[in-house]
């Protein structure tokens, strides 16, 4: 009896194993995941659904429910969908044809999905169908692409149509409001006629885009806009004419120079004085790195002229410039002729005397009364037999001595005659010549 029971027990164990005891790592089938459902953005009558699952989808069914009545208005069966991207187990499906609903409006989409394993999902809030008319602008144009000082009005014409979601048909949108925007701000609003045509005028005060925009004027028509049209600005040409100083000149430090200049604008009658324009005058240095000098500011009068007197402390030229906040008026500038500014240099003493070795010893001192001094001070000792024709015999450098810039030199074996010291002019200093001293042999 025991053996028989043991045998039956063994058979039972084998049967249990053959029956398939669930393995520890076995995974049950997963239901499809309805990720979303909504209208195709550029084709509002087409429904798009995104679904993923652990096996290929075999059935998709969408229920279209009105938000207004909470009533089901349409059922989209499986054969109405086609896979447009992804794979059968993870993809995006579109309806092959736009949905044909009785009324425009917003609808809730409830989706049923079944996969190849027989797993099924019902999502009662998968997404929304926006069953609206899409506005479409056609033949939007302006009567000008450029405005100028005297002509700032721009007319905008175009046609507003709507794409119906059920048929994709374009129809004129009659009696709809169209905003005419300038630089993305509404400047005028017009309404379409029976054929969807509109026309209006805006004022353009800068180089900006002009655009026709539809903003939810009627129920169930979405926002829409036309491509912006860029309007340029043709500026009024202006110019400066400098009357003085018209030619280059040299002045002493501290001496005033008067600038006179006239601003003109181009007109159909030619160049005329330009009144009421603002600007300023600088004195710009010729040497690189030097700072400019502010001369003054102005607003032009009826004759367009400006006049300034200025005592520059460096070599350079006047720079006159005008600038308007009005983008229709071009800026203009001009420079005067160069003004060379020289500082004074003087000899305060000079002597020449015969030495025991038959040479001549010279010495003296210089001063620069304007408070500026050259980096180096070369003093040329000059000789003349008759006091009229001079020759450089040597160059000595002057150095600060506590009371002036002193120099001295010895000239060997020189005949009797006249001697003097000379400092040659530089870019910043005038020339100077000492008194003449006669030395006998």
């Amino acid at each position: 009896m025991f053996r028989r029971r043991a045998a039956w027990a063994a058979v039972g164990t084998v049967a249990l194993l053959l029956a398939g005891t669930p393995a520890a790592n076995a995974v049950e089938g997963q239901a499809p995941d309805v990720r979303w459902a909504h209208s195709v953005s550029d084709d509002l009558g087409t429904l798009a659904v995104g679904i993923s699952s652990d096996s290929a989808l075999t059935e998709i069914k969408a229920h279209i429910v009105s938000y207004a009545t909470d009533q089901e208005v349409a059922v989209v069966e499986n054969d109405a969908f086609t896979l447009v991207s992804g794979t059968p187990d993870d993809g995006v499906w579109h309806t092959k044809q736009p949905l044909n609903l009785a009324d425009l409006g917003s609808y809730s989409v409830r989706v049923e999905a079944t996969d190849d394993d027989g797993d099924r999902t019902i999502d009662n809030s998968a997404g929304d169908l926006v069953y609206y008319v899409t506005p479409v602008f056609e033949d939007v144009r302006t009567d000008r692409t450029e405005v100028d000082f005297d002509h700032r009005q721009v007319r905008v014409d175009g046609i507003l149509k709507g794409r119906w979601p059920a048929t994709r048909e374009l129809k004129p949108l009659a009696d709809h409001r169209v905003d005419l925007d300038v630089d993305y701000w509404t400047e005028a609003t017009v309404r379409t006629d029976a054929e969807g045509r509109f026309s209006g005028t805006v004022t353009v005060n800068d180089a900006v885009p002009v655009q026709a925009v539809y903003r939810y004027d009627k129920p169930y028509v979405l926002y829409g806009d036309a491509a912006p049209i860029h309007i340029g600005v043709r500026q009024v040409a202006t110019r400066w004419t400098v009357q003085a100083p018209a030619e280059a000149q040299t002045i002493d430090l501290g001496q005033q120079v008067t600038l006179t200049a006239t601003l003109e604008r181009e007109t159909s009658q030619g160049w005329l004085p330009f009144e009421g324009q603002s600007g300023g005058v600088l004195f710009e240095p010729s040497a690189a790195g030097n700072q400019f000098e502010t001369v003054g500011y102005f607003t032009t009068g009826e004759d367009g002229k400006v006049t300034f007197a200025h005592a520059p402390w460096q070599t350079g030229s006047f720079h006159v410039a005008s600038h308007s906040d009005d983008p229709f008026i071009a800026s203009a500038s001009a420079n005067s002729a160069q003004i060379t500014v020289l500082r004074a240099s003087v000899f305060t003493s000079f002597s020449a005397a015969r030495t025991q070795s038959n040479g001549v010893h010279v010495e003296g001192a210089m001063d620069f009364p304007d408070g500026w001094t050259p980096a180096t001070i070369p003093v040329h000792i000059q000789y003349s037999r008759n006091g009229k024709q001079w020759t450089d015999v040597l160059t000595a450098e002057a150095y600060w001595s506590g009371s002036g810039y002193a120099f001295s030199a010895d000239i060997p074996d020189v005949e009797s005659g006249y001697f003097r010291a000379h400092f040659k002019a530089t870019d910043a200093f005038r020339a100077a010549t000492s008194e003449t001293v006669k030395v006998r042999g």
Side-chain angles (χ1 to χ4, degrees):
M1 180 66 68
F2 173 76
R3 290 179 180 177
R4 189 178 182 87
R5 289 178 179 173
W8 279 113
V11 171
T13 301
V14 172
L16 182 61
L17 291 172
L18 292 176
T21 303
N25 60 351
V27 179
E28 295 182 1
Q30 293 181 350
D33 176 21
V34 180
R35 300 196 303 275
W36 48 261
H38 56 65
S39 308
V40 174
S41 60
D42 58 354
D43 188 10
L44 296 182
T46 298
L47 176 64
V49 181
I51 308 174
S52 63
S53 188
D54 61 352
S55 62
L57 292 175
T58 58
E59 183 179 4
I60 303 173
K61 183 182 291 187
H63 301 262
I64 311 302
V65 179
S66 170
Y67 272 115
T69 65
D70 201 32
Q71 298 296 311
E72 184 177 278
V73 298
V75 178
V76 185
E77 301 288 350
N78 185 66
D79 57 359
F81 287 95
T82 183
L83 182 67
V84 295
S85 66
T87 60
D89 61 347
D90 186 4
V92 175
W93 283 260
H94 284 189
T95 52
K96 298 174 184 177
Q97 298 296 328
L99 304 185
N100 192 355
L101 306 182
D103 298 308
L104 297 171
S106 298
Y107 295 88
S108 171
V109 181
R110 303 171 183 176
V111 176
E112 299 177 34
T114 305
D115 65 13
D116 196 43
D117 296 335
D119 300 314
R120 184 167 177 266
T121 290
I122 299 177
D123 190 333
N124 289 323
S125 57
D128 300 299
L129 177 72
V130 180
Y131 202 68
Y132 282 21
V133 174
T134 302
V136 176
F137 283 95
E138 291 185 349
D139 195 25
V140 177
R141 62 197 183 279
T142 58
D143 65 339
R144 64 176 67 233
T145 58
E146 190 176 64
V147 289
D148 58 37
F149 186 81
D150 299 312
H151 306 90
R152 307 191 187 194
Q153 302 297 305
V154 176
R155 194 183 74 245
V156 184
D157 299 286
I159 303 172
L160 178 63
K161 293 183 177 180
R163 179 179 289 110
W164 258 251
T167 62
R168 302 181 179 129
E169 180 183 3
L170 284 175
K171 302 177 185 178
L173 293 179
D175 193 32
H176 281 60
R177 187 178 67 187
V178 174
D179 291 332
L180 303 181
D181 287 7
V182 177
D183 198 21
Y184 307 105
W185 289 90
T186 300
E187 294 292 334
T189 299
V190 296
R191 299 200 79 86
T192 58
D193 63 13
E195 297 179 343
R197 297 182 182 278
F198 62 88
S199 181
T201 300
V202 293
T203 300
V204 178
N205 291 314
D206 208 340
V208 293
V210 170
Q211 188 177 28
V213 180
Y214 175 81
R215 292 184 171 95
Y216 309 110
D217 179 42
K218 301 285 187 177
Y220 310 126
V221 182
L222 288 179
Y223 169 94
D225 54 28
I229 300 173
H230 190 79
I231 305 298
V233 168
R234 184 171 68 251
Q235 292 185 316
V236 173
T238 62
R239 72 180 185 185
W240 281 98
T241 302
V242 177
Q243 284 81 35
E247 297 180 353
Q249 57 183 273
T250 299
I251 64 171
D252 292 322
L253 180 67
Q255 182 180 339
Q256 283 194 336
V257 180
T258 298
L259 168 75
T260 303
T262 303
L263 178 65
E264 299 173 302
R265 62 164 290 188
E266 189 177 26
T267 71
S268 56
Q269 293 79 40
W271 290 93
L272 298 177
F274 202 0
E275 180 183 4
Q277 300 306 297
S278 300
V281 177
L282 304 175
F283 193 85
E284 294 185 334
S286 300
N290 284 6
Q291 294 184 341
F292 64 82
E293 305 168 44
T294 299
V295 177
Y297 302 94
F298 61 81
T299 298
T300 56
E302 185 177 354
D303 60 1
K305 286 187 180 296
V306 297
T307 300
F308 286 92
H310 181 64
W313 59 268
Q314 59 188 327
T315 296
S317 58
F318 290 102
H319 178 80
V320 56
S322 56
H323 175 76
S324 175
D325 292 332
D326 189 335
F328 290 87
I329 299 175
S331 301
S333 64
N335 279 63
S336 72
Q338 179 169 291
I339 309 299
T340 300
V341 180
L342 297 181
R343 294 161 176 81
S345 57
V346 295
F347 283 90
T348 57
S349 65
F350 178 74
S351 64
R354 179 71 65 182
T355 64
Q356 293 181 355
S357 58
N358 203 33
V360 173
H361 176 78
V362 297
E363 60 183 46
M366 289 193 69
D367 188 24
F368 299 92
D370 290 328
W372 299 76
T373 306
T376 59
I377 307 173
V379 177
H380 302 278
I381 307 302
Q382 297 180 331
Y383 166 77
S384 173
R385 292 189 63 183
N386 56 15
K388 297 179 180 181
Q389 296 173 336
W390 296 91
T391 303
D392 288 354
V393 292
L394 59 81
T395 300
E397 187 170 344
Y399 297 95
W400 177 248
S401 64
S403 59
Y405 293 89
F407 61 91
S408 64
D410 289 304
I411 308 170
D413 300 326
V414 62
E415 298 178 356
S416 61
Y418 298 88
F419 293 86
R420 70 181 186 183
H422 180 70
F423 175 76
K424 293 182 179 180
T426 69
D427 292 339
F429 291 87
R430 286 199 178 275
T433 302
S434 72
E435 63 181 5
T436 300
V437 177
K438 183 176 182 180
V439 178
R440 299 182 183 280

